[in-house]
């Protein structure tokens, strides 16, 4: 199995493996969700991993107070760049 490689479906980065290569795989950088890449995963992780004793979903007002301004700015910039389909 020497010389077998996997390739990231997003950026094309490849790396050697000692097992059968997977076909649909992401490298660690592409797998990390951000507001502009896989936003649903990013915000779900922010909601459920927020350091609080009560992990239940909060109101939009509570999230506006708790999330950082930088995250909100990045999300707004991404939303503005989306193409609107009629």
């Amino acid at each position: 199995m020497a010389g077998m490689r996997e390739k990231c479906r997003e950026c094309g980065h490849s790396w050697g493996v000692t097992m059968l290569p997977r076909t649909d795989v992401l490298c660690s950088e592409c797998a990390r969700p951000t507001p502009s890449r896989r936003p649903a995963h990013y915000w779900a992780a922010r909601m459920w991993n927020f350091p609080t004793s009560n992990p239940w979903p909060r109101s939009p007002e509570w999230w506006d107070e708790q999330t950082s301004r930088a995250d909100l700015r990045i999300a707004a910039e991404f939303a503005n760049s989306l193409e609107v389909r009629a």
Side-chain angles (χ1 to χ4, degrees):
M1 288 197 188
M4 298 181 82
R5 301 186 69 74
E6 287 181 337
K7 187 175 183 180
C8 176
R9 69 172 183 206
E10 296 282 326
C11 68
H13 176 75
S14 67
W15 57 93
V17 293
T18 58
M19 61 207 167
L20 290 175
R22 297 169 288 178
T23 56
D24 189 27
V25 66
L26 294 170
C27 67
S28 59
E29 184 61 33
C30 291
R32 185 176 298 117
T34 64
S36 61
R37 182 177 55 227
R38 298 172 60 214
H41 289 93
Y42 174 82
W43 290 109
R46 286 294 305 264
M47 182 174 74
W48 292 110
N49 294 323
F50 196 80
T52 180
S53 59
N54 185 359
W56 296 104
R58 306 291 185 135
S59 69
E61 293 79 16
W62 188 88
W63 281 108
D64 284 345
E65 292 174 1
Q66 300 299 322
T67 55
S68 69
R69 290 184 183 193
D71 283 344
L72 292 174
R73 180 181 47 77
I74 291 169
E77 289 171 0
F78 175 69
N80 285 332
S81 69
L82 293 176
E83 182 180 324
V84 178
R85 295 184 188 200

